[in-house]
Amino acid sequence: MSGGSGSGSGSGSGAQPPVGIDELLERVRAGYERIEPQEAYEAAEAGDALLVDIRYAALRERDGLIPGALVVERNELEWRLDPQGSHRAAEATSHSLRVVVICNEGYASSLAAQSLHQLGLLRATDLVGGFQAWKASGLPVV
C-alpha cells in the first residue's frame, strides 16, 4: 500500500500517550496554588474570593450549603463564570475574579479550576479536600 502518512501508532504524529487521572490531577494542580478551607473562608469574608459550589443537588441536600457560595453545577460552570459569556452569572464580573471551586472532596474541582484558567480566569483555584474538608474544619454550613 502507500507509504506516506500512515495512521498507525508511533507514526510521528505528535500525539501524547494516554495519561491516568492521578497523573493528570498532579499536572493540573502543579499549575496553580490550591487553597485550604480557613483561607478560603477568610478570603470570601473579606470579599476577595467568590466561592463556587459545583456539587450536584443530592450532595447539597444531604450535606448542606456554604453560606454565600454561588451554586453552579459542574456542567454549567464555564458558561456561568465566563465574564464574556451570554449566560454568565451576575457575579462573573471580570477575568481577574478570584474563584474558589468547591466539589465534594477536592478532585473534580481541580479539573474545573483548570478549565476556568483556559477561559482566562487565571486566579481560579480549588478547595483542598472540597466541601468535606470545609465541614470538617468547623466552618459555616447551612
Side-chain angles (χ1 to χ4, degrees), residues 3-110:
S5 58
S7 61
S9 176
S11 65
S13 66
Q16 301 262 339
V19 61
I21 189 60
D22 293 330
E23 184 178 340
L24 178 61
L25 276 172
E26 188 176 315
R27 289 180 188 180
V28 164
R29 290 171 174 170
Y32 63 92
E33 188 174 328
R34 301 178 78 208
I35 191 169
E36 296 287 339
Q38 186 64 41
E39 184 183 353
Y41 172 75
E42 291 169 5
E45 286 292 301
D48 184 41
L50 173 64
L51 305 180
V52 179
D53 186 344
I54 64 168
R55 295 174 302 141
Y56 52 91
L59 288 177
R60 295 191 312 268
E61 291 168 9
R62 181 188 79 186
D63 295 336
L65 298 168
I66 296 171
L70 175 65
V71 174
V72 178
E73 290 198 18
R74 175 63 189 99
N75 64 326
E76 297 179 359
L77 184 68
E78 292 81 359
W79 284 268
R80 304 290 287 147
L81 290 184
D82 179 2
Q84 299 174 341
S86 59
H87 293 85
R88 69 176 161 67
E91 294 86 347
T93 56
S94 162
H95 282 95
S96 64
L97 183 64
R98 184 178 186 195
V99 175
V100 178
V101 183
I102 303 166
C103 67
N104 194 48
E105 295 181 341
Y107 296 98
S109 57
S110 294

